[in-house]
């Protein structure tokens, strides 16, 4: 249970105009008791378990600020984060994003800060990436601060798994997105959340496709409604990410991706990416096609959960040893 550390990291911020709202989504592990220990330092709300999405929107409905930050209960905000972010809170800024340091259950660093961000205060490159790939490089929820209106009038999000799926895509179209190349928070990886990345099934891969495409169709509607001077956003069916998920879905079902499917996958990667990333993703597509299913499944598991790479390297060594 990490909720206490999470709340303390928010309370420690050197930022005067701060409103902290904690929503307990029907927890049964003692979290509510821990939350109540902070008294009137926070606004605490307890609701019946309805899922993360509804809990976060419940918190949003209570917020009064012009900017909204969703901090996951497992994660931690760096002590001086808001002081560094404050100068970026300008009326024309729709989103601020920053890097997160991955930590284990005990708070020890277990890798490099991610994602790699370049300092920027312009949305042009991000919009271009969305139109080309269907996404742009962004941190998980705890690495983003949004201008409140980005979350207003979103409409139906029943297809969604997270709170900021379509808002992160919408933000570049309605304002400037500021990228900060500094680590201002910690992202915790532990048994409970890591296990969700451990099972590879075709159902899961198809769920990702549905969510990805749902966001883009939703984005197209929002851009048309909110951005009269912006070129219409067109949704395609041949994004490399979708093709990769389709290929992994076949592998999860014990099948081999077809030659036409693999070639279309490689063509999409070549269209959307450059340099080492293009090479790596093309090799991944080829590997899913040529490897035995058992090894292709291991490779798919690594793609979904990179922490499994050590086990797969051992399998490869055994398979190709003389």
């Amino acid at each position: 249970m990490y909720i206490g550390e999470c709340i303390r990291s928010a309370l420690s911020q050197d930022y005067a105009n701060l409103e902290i709202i904690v929503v307990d989504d029907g927890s049964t592990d003692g979290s509510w008791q821990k939350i109540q220990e902070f008294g009137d330092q926070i606004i605490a709300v307890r609701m019946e378990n309805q899922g993360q999405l509804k809990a976060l929107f419940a918190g949003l409905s209570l917020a009064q600020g012009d900017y909204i930050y969703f901090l996951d209960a497992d994660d931690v905000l760096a002590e001086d984060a808001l002081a560094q972010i404050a100068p970026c809170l300008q009326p024309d800024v729709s989103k601020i994003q920053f890097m997160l340091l991955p930590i284990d259950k005990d708070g020890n660093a277990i890798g490099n800060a991610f994602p790699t961000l370049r300092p920027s205060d312009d949305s042009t490159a991000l919009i271009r990436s969305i139109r080309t790939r269907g996404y742009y490089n962004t941190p998980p929820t705890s690495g983003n601060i949004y201008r409140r209106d980005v979350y207003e009038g979103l409409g139906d999000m029943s297809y969604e798994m997270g709170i900021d799926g379509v808002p992160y895509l919408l933000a570049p179209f309605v304002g400037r997105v500021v990228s900060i190349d500094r680590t201002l928070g910690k992202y915790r990886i532990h048994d409970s959340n890591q296990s969700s990345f451990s099972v590879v099934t075709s159902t899961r891969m198809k769920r990702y496709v549905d969510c990805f495409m749902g966001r883009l169709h939703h984005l197209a509607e929002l851009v048309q409604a909110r951005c009269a001077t912006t070129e219409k956003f067109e949704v395609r069916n041949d994004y490399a990410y979708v093709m990769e998920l389709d290929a992994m879905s076949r592998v999860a079902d014990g099948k081999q991706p077809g030659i036409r499917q693999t070639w279309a996958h490689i063509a999409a990667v070549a269209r959307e990416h450059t340099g080492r990333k293009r090479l790596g993703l093309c090799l991944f597509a080829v590997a899913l096609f040529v490897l035995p299913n058992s090894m292709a499944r291991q490779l798919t598991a690594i793609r979904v959960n990179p922490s499994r790479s050590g086990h797969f390297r051992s399998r490869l060594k055994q398979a190709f040893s003389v």
Side-chain angles (χ1 to χ4, degrees):
M1 182 165 50
Y2 306 103
I3 186 63
E5 183 180 359
C6 174
I7 294 173
R8 285 191 292 273
S9 76
L11 287 170
S12 70
Q13 297 302 308
D14 182 16
Y15 187 77
N17 191 19
L18 185 62
E19 178 184 50
I20 301 174
I21 300 170
V22 183
V23 180
D24 182 283
D25 185 34
S27 68
T28 58
D29 62 353
S31 291
W32 179 240
Q33 289 73 23
K34 178 65 68 173
I35 291 168
Q36 289 181 302
E37 292 177 5
F38 291 92
D40 60 5
Q41 296 180 90
I42 63 174
I43 299 170
V45 178
R46 183 170 171 80
M47 55 188 287
E48 289 186 14
N49 182 260
Q50 299 181 56
Q52 184 187 51
L53 199 60
K54 289 188 176 181
L56 291 172
F57 272 114
L60 177 63
S61 70
L62 298 173
Q64 302 297 314
D66 294 329
Y67 282 84
I68 303 296
Y69 175 55
F70 295 104
L71 178 61
D72 285 343
D74 298 338
D75 299 340
V76 179
L77 191 58
E79 187 173 344
D80 61 344
L82 292 186
Q84 296 188 57
I85 292 167
C88 302
L89 301 178
Q90 302 297 323
D92 64 336
V93 172
S94 56
K95 178 188 171 206
I96 302 99
Q97 58 181 18
F98 50 87
M99 298 165 65
L100 299 171
L101 179 70
I103 58 174
D104 64 17
K105 61 184 179 65
D106 298 316
N108 302 309
I110 53 175
N112 297 324
F114 73 100
T116 301
L117 296 175
R118 294 180 179 178
S120 171
D121 61 358
D122 179 63
S123 295
T124 304
L126 305 185
I127 292 174
R128 184 167 58 248
S129 181
I130 295 169
R131 291 188 184 278
T132 302
R133 304 184 182 103
Y135 68 92
Y136 65 88
N137 201 27
T138 193
T141 302
S142 296
N144 305 281
I145 294 178
Y146 290 88
R147 195 176 63 209
R148 184 191 184 89
D149 68 279
V150 177
Y151 272 92
E152 294 175 346
L154 292 179
D156 178 43
M157 292 179 63
S158 57
Y159 65 86
E160 186 56 84
M161 294 187 288
I163 188 69
D164 53 358
V166 78
Y168 102 86
L169 294 171
L170 177 62
F173 289 92
V174 297
R176 292 190 297 121
V177 173
V178 175
S179 297
I180 300 175
D181 64 335
R182 296 192 295 277
T183 304
L184 301 181
K186 298 178 181 180
Y187 180 80
R188 195 181 306 272
I189 298 173
H190 52 86
D191 292 343
S192 296
N193 61 17
Q194 192 172 26
S195 63
S196 66
F197 294 101
S198 299
V199 181
V200 177
T201 66
S202 60
T203 299
R204 182 180 177 192
M205 299 299 105
K206 290 171 182 175
R207 176 75 177 96
Y208 284 166
V209 170
D210 289 344
C211 187
F212 182 82
M213 296 303 295
R215 288 173 181 171
L216 292 177
H217 284 292
H218 193 175
L219 175 66
E221 295 174 0
L222 293 170
V223 169
Q224 184 173 355
R226 297 193 189 185
C227 312
T229 61
T230 301
E231 180 185 349
K232 183 179 180 181
F233 180 76
E234 300 285 352
V235 181
R236 307 195 320 270
N237 294 316
D238 60 349
Y239 296 103
Y241 178 72
V242 171
M243 293 190 172
E244 179 181 283
L245 289 171
D246 286 341
M248 292 194 296
S249 177
R250 286 188 63 82
V251 168
D253 277 341
K255 302 174 184 177
Q256 182 186 49
I259 183 65
R260 290 185 179 179
Q261 180 183 10
T262 301
W263 180 250
H265 182 180
I266 292 171
V269 169
R271 180 179 62 247
E272 296 179 15
H273 300 283
T274 60
R276 287 185 296 178
K277 187 165 187 178
R278 174 194 281 177
L279 177 61
L281 292 176
C282 284
L283 289 174
F284 179 73
V286 172
L288 294 184
F289 176 68
V290 301
L291 287 176
N293 184 260
S294 60
M295 300 186 76
R297 286 178 65 88
Q298 287 291 324
L299 191 60
T300 296
I302 291 170
R303 180 68 172 140
V304 175
N305 177 13
S307 68
R308 298 169 62 96
S309 60
H311 175 66
F312 184 68
R313 284 196 298 269
S314 297
R315 289 284 304 278
L316 280 176
K317 186 175 181 180
Q318 292 172 5
F320 292 104
S321 60
V322 178

